[in-house]
Amino acid sequence: MATVTVEVNGRPYNVGCADGQEDRVRALAGQFDALVRQVAGDVGHVGDIRLFLMAALVLADELHETRTGAARKKGAPPPALETPAASDGVAEALNAVAARIEKIVRSI
């Protein structure tokens, strides 16, 4: 397993990946960095975790729209989004992680 260092929003992050996938991870991180910086430009400084979450939601929305468009072209019904009950657990987990990170940052 390889490790690459990528930069997102001006901060370095070490990321593990399969051997031979280092360039792909760097390219994907570069795309994500551009999106995070765009979101930061739109909403201002709200902290890295919230910027990353907003960027991830933008990507998820784009992915859903792409899948919906592909399904329409095939004549299939569009893919459904997760039901609120299924996504509640994910939202709670994300909120708990954000709260823990904010607590750690405040203690530093």
Side-chain angles (χ1 to χ4, degrees):
M1 182 167 177
T3 301
V4 295
T5 301
V6 298
E7 189 173 293
V8 179
N9 202 31
R11 296 179 192 246
Y13 295 92
N14 292 323
V15 180
C17 64
D19 290 334
Q21 293 298 309
E22 297 89 346
D23 289 341
R24 180 170 173 76
V25 169
R26 285 186 194 101
L28 292 170
Q31 292 174 352
F32 186 70
D33 178 51
L35 181 57
V36 167
R37 289 176 185 270
Q38 177 185 347
V39 170
D42 292 344
V43 301
H45 183 69
V46 294
D48 285 345
I49 299 301
R50 285 198 169 93
L51 284 175
F52 288 11
L53 175 59
M54 288 180 208
L57 291 172
V58 169
L59 290 172
D61 183 55
E62 289 176 2
L63 178 60
H64 179 73
E65 290 299 317
T66 299
R67 287 178 175 167
T68 300
R72 282 189 193 124
K73 286 181 182 178
K74 293 179 181 179
L81 289 172
E82 291 291 320
T83 62
S87 63
D88 284 348
V90 174
E92 287 177 28
L94 287 173
N95 284 332
V97 168
R100 276 186 267 153
I101 291 170
E102 288 171 355
K103 184 178 178 182
I104 291 168
V105 169
R106 282 192 302 267
S107 70
I108 295 177

